[in-house]
Amino acid sequence: MERSEKEIRVSKFAEQVNKHFAASSIPKGIHCLSLRLTDEYSSNAHARKQLPSPELLPLLSNNSYYHFVVSTDNILAASVVVTSSVQSFLKPEKIVFHVITDKKTYAGMHSWFALNPVSPAIVEVKGVHQFDWLTRENVPVLEAVENHNSIRNYYHGNHIAGVNLSETTPRRFASKLQAKSPKYISLLNHLRIYLPELFPNLDKVVFLDDDVVVQRDLSPLWEIDLGGKVNGAVETCKGEDEWVMSKRFSNYFNFSHPLIKKNLNPDECAWAYGMNIFDLRAWRKTNIRDTYHAWLKENLKSNLTMWKLGTLPPALIAFRGHVRVIDPSWHMLGLGYQNETDIEGVKKAAVIHYNGQSKPWLEIGFEHLRPFWTKYVNYTNDFIRNCHILE
């Protein structure tokens, strides 16, 4: 009996490792989509047309418009974020979307939005290589993060070696594996900390992660009085879902580390990335970026013993004192790891967030939660059809 229980326990941990690799891999259909659209960019002049058209360029820095930023190398995910936002907006003609991607995905991403306009909204597609500000001198810490040997081993090494399975639970182990997603050492994932510099002429932006769906008009976010604060965000330490909404600093930081113990409070409430309204004017008056860099350096020096990389922990520190808590109905989390998510709550939320391993574009996504995402995928599109997306 004891041996049988041990085998069941080991199999549960093995299942989490398999889910981790499934979540970290690129589905064949999405890879196909990127390749075909990249090929289209080189062969089809329409796929290369300027985005937006020249007469609309002044609107990219017009603060009477609603500016959204999404940073991703997933073309399908970007299309869902943009489409769901536009379809949910009361005045879509006042939306400007700034889609940022990496150099290898740029041609495919540009092709998609050139060939599939979401008019009357305006979409700009830029690669990180096209921002003059993003130089090695301005982001030295992130270059160090990407090249650090121990970090490469941490993200790409044996994920089960050295783990004492008797001292943890499958759920805790899954959380640790999630923190090992290779996306956390991607510049794209850290880009939001540079928004004031990347968009020097903008006053306010809403930053959306690529695993969200917008279900309500978000224009009232711009009317929220942030009271001089920089970041309008939903708190994640209280709510009906005791798993998803129970995150405090103790969940993210190692409080046995002297620097963490000295500077932070384990009971402090955490907040969520994924749907944030940022006041860039207020941000430019702060030292948020420098604080973020300084703590990243400290964690590198301590060999990742202060927190396991990710982008939220250094942001929790850097934005301390600069966060205005907004109503939780704006942003519902956990659809990528909480199988028992309240469906009625999902229907009412302004933005739903598939944070976690079970993304809706993956086979391991939760079947009952996937339709809220797939309703914004255009299955009649030739590229989607020919790549057999989610068949």
Side-chain angles (χ1 to χ4, degrees):
M1 184 68 178
E2 191 177 315
R3 185 181 173 189
S4 175
E5 285 179 0
K6 187 179 179 183
E7 286 172 351
I8 291 170
R9 186 174 172 78
V10 168
S11 73
K12 284 183 178 177
F13 282 100
E15 180 187 350
Q16 295 301 335
V17 173
N18 291 335
K19 277 189 78 173
H20 170 71
F21 286 120
S24 303
S25 62
I26 301 170
K28 193 162 66 173
I30 288 177
H31 183 58
C32 162
L33 186 67
S34 184
L35 289 177
R36 289 189 178 222
L37 285 165
T38 300
D39 185 54
E40 195 72 13
Y41 185 84
S42 59
S43 62
N44 182 350
H46 293 293
R48 295 193 300 275
K49 73 179 180 185
Q50 188 172 340
L51 286 178
S53 53
E55 68 275 13
L56 298 177
L57 286 175
L59 300 181
L60 296 180
S61 53
N62 185 327
N63 283 297
S64 69
Y65 280 67
Y66 300 102
H67 292 266
F68 291 87
V69 181
V70 61
S71 171
T72 179
D73 60 357
N74 186 328
I75 297 168
L76 187 65
S79 76
V80 168
V81 174
V82 173
T83 302
S84 65
S85 301
V86 172
Q87 289 187 16
S88 302
F89 228 72
L90 290 180
K91 294 181 178 178
E93 69 279 4
K94 297 289 285 183
I95 289 180
V96 178
F97 247 100
H98 305 269
V99 179
I100 307 174
T101 192
D102 56 17
K103 192 171 184 177
K104 70 176 171 56
T105 313
Y106 170 74
M109 189 75 76
H110 189 284
S111 291
W112 176 266
F113 287 105
L115 298 172
N116 301 280
V118 284
S119 103
I122 295 161
V123 177
E124 171 192 37
V125 178
K126 282 189 88 167
V128 289
H129 58 292
Q130 295 172 317
F131 285 96
D132 294 335
W133 187 86
L134 282 175
T135 63
R136 290 184 179 187
E137 292 75 31
N138 287 331
V139 289
V141 177
L142 296 186
E143 189 184 15
V145 164
E146 288 190 329
N147 294 322
H148 199 285
N149 278 337
S150 65
I151 291 175
R152 290 221 161 270
N153 290 336
Y154 175 73
Y155 284 101
H156 301 289
N158 186 336
H159 294 319
I160 206 162
V163 177
N164 188 339
L165 300 184
S166 64
E167 291 183 2
T168 188
T169 66
R171 183 178 279 190
R172 282 200 203 110
F173 183 60
S175 296
K176 288 181 179 178
L177 281 177
Q178 192 182 325
K180 291 191 172 198
S181 169
K183 74 174 186 177
Y184 291 130
I185 52 174
S186 157
L187 174 59
L188 281 177
N189 210 41
H190 290 268
L191 267 188
R192 69 195 98 200
I193 207 69
Y194 305 118
L195 290 175
E197 290 78 23
L198 299 183
F199 300 99
N201 299 315
L202 294 184
D203 296 340
K204 269 188 180 179
V205 300
V206 165
F207 191 97
L208 297 172
D209 277 358
D210 68 358
D211 52 356
V212 306
V213 172
V214 177
Q215 304 186 125
R216 256 185 17 221
D217 175 36
L218 297 186
S219 60
L221 285 172
W222 274 261
E223 296 162 20
I224 293 174
D225 180 8
L226 296 182
K229 305 291 187 186
V230 171
N231 176 5
V234 166
E235 276 187 326
T236 53
C237 67
K238 45 193 148 188
E240 290 181 15
D241 192 317
E242 291 181 7
W243 184 16
V244 177
M245 303 300 281
S246 60
K247 306 294 192 300
R248 297 184 180 273
F249 276 32
S250 56
N251 294 92
Y252 297 99
F253 298 101
N254 173 17
F255 277 88
S256 64
H257 192 287
L259 261 181
I260 295 294
K261 188 175 182 180
K262 179 183 175 185
N263 289 280
L264 303 180
N265 174 5
D267 295 323
E268 189 167 336
C269 192
W271 47 266
Y273 258 159
M275 198 287 298
N276 305 80
I277 174 81
F278 289 117
D279 184 334
L280 301 186
R281 285 173 304 178
W283 191 338
R284 293 183 187 104
K285 299 172 187 172
T286 71
N287 63 346
I288 287 170
R289 188 189 80 212
D290 292 339
T291 303
Y292 187 91
H293 280 175
W295 280 90
L296 270 182
K297 279 181 186 171
E298 287 296 338
N299 196 30
L300 278 176
K301 279 197 316 196
S302 75
N303 207 26
L304 306 186
T305 55
M306 294 163 74
W307 70 82
K308 299 306 182 190
L309 265 187
T311 49
L312 183 58
L316 289 174
I317 301 175
F319 282 102
R320 284 181 90 206
H322 299 293
V323 177
R324 163 80 155 80
V325 176
I326 62 176
D327 192 278
S329 66
W330 283 112
H331 185 189
M332 184 177 192
L333 295 124
L335 276 74
Y337 67 91
Q338 172 56 292
N339 190 26
E340 296 173 10
T341 297
D342 172 41
I343 294 296
E344 289 308 308
V346 172
K347 291 175 182 175
K348 292 174 187 172
V351 173
I352 53 174
H353 194 172
Y354 292 83
N355 57 311
Q357 291 178 324
S358 301
K359 304 296 186 197
W361 56 82
L362 298 174
E363 286 187 16
I364 59 171
F366 300 128
E367 288 298 331
H368 62 297
L369 299 176
R370 200 193 307 274
F372 293 97
W373 187 85
T374 54
K375 69 189 280 190
Y376 295 105
V377 177
N378 179 9
Y379 287 101
T380 64
N381 179 278
D382 286 344
F383 290 99
I384 300 284
R385 267 204 346 261
N386 293 333
C387 285
H388 309 288
I389 300 287
L390 284 174
E391 281 187 356

